[in-house]
Amino acid sequence: DALPIFLTAATSFTLGRAASIEGRVTRIDNGRPVPAVKVTARAGSSMVLARTGIDGRYRMASLPQGAYRVTFDEKQFVLLDRRDVVLAAGEMKTLDISLTEAVALTGRVSDEDGQPVAGARGMLSAGTETRMRMMFRSMNRDGADAAFVSAADGSFRATRLPPGSNQKLTVLHPDFERRVVPGLDLVP
């Protein structure tokens, strides 16, 4: 009887330490923690999701090094997006965030005869926005920058808007002249 012979090859691997992002999410107006915030970290095609606890804290571990886009999403607050959060191998990055309570704007878009206008796009901007920036925003055809698109009855509801004074509402529709409503004060 012959004994089997096993050949082995020595192989070595170098593993990089995983990185992590952690922090605390609070309200900007009073510093209190915000629970149940959905925190998403994206890098390329990968995505990691976490939720804040009742103390407003979150932690995302086992992240490969790279540049991340981290989003903080809770329906009562303005959506917050941090781009280019760069993590080195083994780094533990602290990312504390303060969220602003969002406001809503409702209304109706109609023509000169009082008939509803469906499909009008409304965009909100700071009262100090330049004409050039407004022009680039108006050229946006996919509506991604729109705060609202009016319904068949002309009604609209824009939510999760940032509060502030002296804001401008610009309403656009391909069949009508552009309308700018300056001096809006949006408060929670």
Side-chain angles (χ1 to χ4, degrees):
D1 289 315
L3 293 173
I5 299 175
F6 295 99
L7 298 176
T8 61
T11 306
S12 64
F13 295 93
T14 302
L15 298 177
R17 296 213 175 262
S20 64
I21 301 173
E22 64 181 40
R24 188 167 184 235
V25 179
T26 57
R27 294 178 59 107
I28 200 164
D29 57 352
N30 61 21
R32 290 190 178 144
V34 183
V37 175
K38 182 169 79 172
V39 184
T40 308
R42 290 183 178 87
S45 62
S46 67
M47 181 180 79
V48 176
L49 176 70
R51 291 251 181 215
T52 58
I54 58 171
D55 61 354
R57 296 194 181 282
Y58 69 94
R59 178 173 165 76
M60 292 183 280
S62 302
L63 300 173
Q65 67 181 356
Y68 287 82
R69 175 181 176 188
V70 184
T71 305
F72 299 85
D73 185 3
E74 207 294 319
K75 66 183 178 181
Q76 296 176 9
F77 296 87
V78 177
L79 183 69
L80 185 65
D81 200 23
R82 291 281 191 242
R83 296 178 186 264
D84 296 322
V85 176
V86 178
L87 294 176
E91 180 179 10
M92 192 282 298
K93 183 166 293 243
T94 300
L95 191 56
D96 292 333
I97 297 296
S98 293
L99 295 179
T100 302
E101 187 177 357
V103 296
L105 179 65
T106 59
R108 183 173 183 268
V109 180
S110 58
D111 66 13
E112 59 276 357
D113 296 324
Q115 296 301 308
V117 175
R121 288 185 305 130
M123 296 173 287
L124 199 63
S125 62
T128 57
E129 183 175 70
T130 65
R131 288 184 186 269
M132 183 64 78
R133 172 70 179 130
M134 188 180 296
M135 181 183 79
F136 283 125
R137 284 168 43 102
S138 69
M139 292 178 354
N140 179 12
R141 290 189 168 88
D142 64 3
D145 208 16
F148 68 82
V149 176
S150 61
D153 65 353
S155 66
F156 69 85
R157 178 170 174 77
T159 59
R160 300 186 73 176
L161 300 174
S165 299
N166 194 31
Q167 297 193 50
K168 278 193 285 193
L169 175 63
T170 303
V171 182
L172 304 167
H173 190 283
D175 299 334
F176 297 92
E177 293 179 352
R178 177 182 65 159
R179 174 76 194 270
V180 177
V181 181
L184 293 177
D185 292 332
L186 300 178
V187 293

